Amino acid sequence: MDPDVGGNRRVFNRPGIDSSKNQKVCFHWRAGKCTRFPCPFLHSEQSHPSGSATVNGSGTHKRFADDSGFSGQPPRRSPNLKNNHNNSWGRIGAKKAVIKTEKVCNYWVRGNCNYGDKCKFLHSWSLGEGFSMLNHLDGHQKLVSGIVLPAGMDKLFTGSKDETLRAWDTNSGQCTAVINLGGEVGCMIGEGPWLFVGIPNAVKVWNTQFNQELTLGGPVGQVYAMVVFTDLLFAGTQDAILVWKFSAVTNTFEPVASLKGHALPVVSLIVGANRLYSASADHSIKVWSLETLQCIQTLTGHNDVVMSLLCWDQFLMSCSLDKTIKVWVATENGNLEVAYTHNEENGVLNLRGMPDLESKPVLLCACNNNYVRLFDLPSFSERGRIFAKQEIRSVEVGPGGLFFTGDGTGFKVWKWAEPVGLS
């Protein structure tokens, strides 16, 4: 057979086929180099009796896209199938397994994906088994930076970069109140009936039981992190960790200390083993005695901002924009050292831990690129992923297997499923 030229593509005339109908075999397909999809020329060497080739109304072969239901969307370019002449790509009627990528389909998000089950992208906000989304609540205009579900209440509270605090009815999912704070919410925590909200230059405090509202002054700049230990409130700010002590006599909080040592803002705080741990944008973690409020060790294992801390069992866990999660353990002399480092593809923003409904420990790990990974501990075996349209900055744990993720579009409510065979 002599090569012919069809447009800009070299082709071969197929034997037994009327060449006036352009039934030609793609030369580049035969060489294993065709990257056009769909290709107007044939990707097959099968012979047919003269005049018996299947054609559509225009006199050309039916294309793969027509036979597979993929019409209505721009065609995707096929991979380069070098030296693989026996693959089923492009063969009419060949069934191919749809391999899902770990990315949510943008057309599905907008409600107009025509591929259905054949779409290679996810038509779900999660990947994995054992948990499911119960609700997606929106209302905030910017990133949700804090979520709190106080124990024993039927109200859930969310704070946002849109400078508002919202209250939600946990039964109906309706927003019942909006409070304008006058500043972006940097963090939120709850302790008993108390709700603490960090904003620039202040901490707003509400006693949800007695409808009491307080404002604690002293912070310089944004309040990025808070934690409570007995009657002490700690707040991480741009230049220090501020400490208040609750007074039962005055039913308010009195300033007692300012812990200095970090060179840049303190962005995470956690309490465990009678220690306060602080993580900073200066790439370090500091360990503080809760008895003396003095720094007793500085950890320097990360090489970028340390975003979040978590205490689990006898371990301290830390995550960073350096794309690692580190597990720290105490040595015989009491100092902490790295026992294990888990590497991620993206920077890690937030860590939370909870048991599933079988009481197995699970780590929830929010990462850059808009997703949360769920890991079994201590194996770091992945249980699943949660996706969002925008960056997920808040992950919180509730009672009864509930947990929450907040991003720029609102927040989602998730729940662990009952194990198979249990009710």
Side-chain angles (χ1 to χ4, degrees):
M1 294 181 292
D2 295 324
D4 190 13
V5 177
N8 294 322
R9 187 176 296 270
R10 298 176 66 201
V11 300
F12 284 91
N13 289 331
R14 290 186 60 191
I17 301 296
D18 184 359
S19 61
S20 65
K21 296 184 178 180
N22 294 322
Q23 302 302 326
K24 300 177 180 180
V25 179
C26 174
F27 173 79
H28 294 285
W29 171 80
R30 295 191 64 185
K33 299 179 180 180
C34 181
T35 59
R36 178 178 294 186
F37 176 69
C39 180
F41 304 104
L42 296 177
H43 284 197
S44 174
E45 294 287 3
Q46 296 178 358
S47 298
H48 295 277
S50 180
S52 64
T54 303
V55 295
N56 62 15
S58 63
T60 58
H61 249 71
K62 289 181 66 179
R63 297 184 298 181
F64 174 81
D66 297 327
D67 202 55
S68 65
F70 280 17
S71 60
Q73 297 292 347
R76 295 190 176 98
R77 186 174 296 276
S78 65
N80 190 350
L81 304 176
K82 291 185 178 179
N83 301 320
N84 187 9
H85 297 171
N86 295 321
N87 64 76
S88 62
W89 185 266
R91 289 188 181 177
I92 297 174
K95 294 183 178 179
K96 296 180 292 301
V98 178
I99 301 174
K100 301 290 185 180
T101 64
E102 294 179 346
K103 181 180 179 181
V104 177
C105 173
N106 290 326
Y107 292 103
W108 173 78
V109 171
R110 296 195 292 265
N112 60 359
C113 180
N114 295 330
Y115 294 145
D117 292 339
K118 294 181 179 179
C119 181
K120 70 176 182 179
F121 298 103
L122 294 174
H123 285 194
S124 171
W125 290 115
S126 63
L127 182 66
E129 298 180 353
F131 61 95
S132 61
M133 188 177 78
L134 300 183
N135 209 343
H136 179 197
L137 304 177
D138 54 20
H140 286 293
Q141 303 303 308
K142 294 183 179 180
L143 181 75
V144 174
S145 49
I147 304 171
V148 173
L149 178 59
M153 288 192 66
D154 59 357
K155 292 286 190 299
L156 180 143
F157 299 91
T158 57
S160 169
K161 300 294 186 182
D162 66 8
E163 304 185 2
T164 67
L165 173 70
R166 287 178 175 261
W168 306 82
D169 187 290
T170 57
N171 297 310
S172 66
Q174 298 298 310
C175 179
T176 60
V178 180
I179 300 174
N180 293 310
L181 301 172
E184 294 185 354
V185 174
C187 59
M188 284 176 58
I189 63 169
E191 185 70 23
W194 295 95
L195 180 66
F196 303 91
V197 181
I199 61 174
N201 306 315
V203 175
K204 304 288 288 186
V205 184
W206 283 270
N207 186 311
T208 57
Q209 184 177 357
F210 300 110
N211 294 323
Q212 179 185 7
E213 180 180 347
L214 304 170
T215 299
L216 307 183
V220 175
Q222 181 62 273
V223 177
Y224 297 100
M226 291 182 289
V227 69
V228 170
F229 175 72
T230 62
D231 57 353
L232 297 177
L233 169 67
F234 299 88
T237 68
Q238 289 188 357
D239 62 347
I241 302 171
L242 301 186
V243 189
W244 292 267
K245 185 180 180 67
F246 178 72
S247 171
V249 176
T250 62
N251 201 37
T252 188
F253 294 82
E254 304 292 341
V256 294
S258 176
L259 311 184
K260 301 281 188 176
H262 283 294
L264 291 172
V266 177
V267 296
S268 183
L269 295 169
I270 195 76
V271 169
N274 204 35
R275 299 284 189 267
L276 169 71
Y277 303 95
S278 60
S280 171
D282 66 9
H283 308 179
S284 74
I285 302 167
K286 289 188 178 293
V287 186
W288 309 80
S289 167
L290 286 171
E291 296 177 352
T292 65
L293 298 182
Q294 298 296 311
C295 179
I296 56 178
Q297 188 182 1
T298 299
L299 311 177
T300 57
H302 289 288
N303 56 32
D304 207 331
V305 179
V306 185
M307 295 294 294
S308 184
L309 300 171
L310 178 68
C311 289
W312 175 69
D313 201 10
Q314 73 269 33
F315 303 101
L316 172 70
M317 305 181 72
S318 61
C319 69
S320 169
L321 295 182
D322 67 8
K323 305 179 183 181
T324 67
I325 301 172
K326 292 188 180 294
V327 180
W328 306 78
V329 64
T331 59
E332 291 183 358
N333 62 11
N335 287 334
L336 292 173
E337 64 179 23
V338 176
Y340 175 74
T341 297
H342 171 81
N343 295 296
E344 279 289 324
E345 295 179 357
N346 297 282
V348 189
L349 305 174
N350 203 341
L351 298 177
R352 288 293 183 271
M354 70 179 301
D356 64 11
L357 294 187
E358 292 182 296
S359 298
K360 296 178 181 177
V362 178
L363 175 67
L364 290 82
C365 167
C367 301
N368 276 329
N369 209 19
N370 310 344
Y371 64 89
V372 174
R373 298 187 73 181
L374 288 76
F375 295 105
D376 279 328
L377 290 179
S379 66
F380 271 88
S381 298
E382 186 169 17
R383 294 281 294 269
R385 294 195 185 197
I386 291 171
F387 305 94
K389 292 182 183 179
Q390 300 181 27
E391 185 176 81
I392 300 173
R393 290 302 298 268
S394 52
V395 180
E396 292 300 337
V397 173
L402 291 173
F403 60 100
F404 311 90
T405 58
D407 57 66
T409 67
F411 70 98
K412 296 181 179 71
V413 184
W414 304 84
K415 191 176 192 306
W416 286 102
E418 290 283 352
V420 176
L422 298 179
S423 59

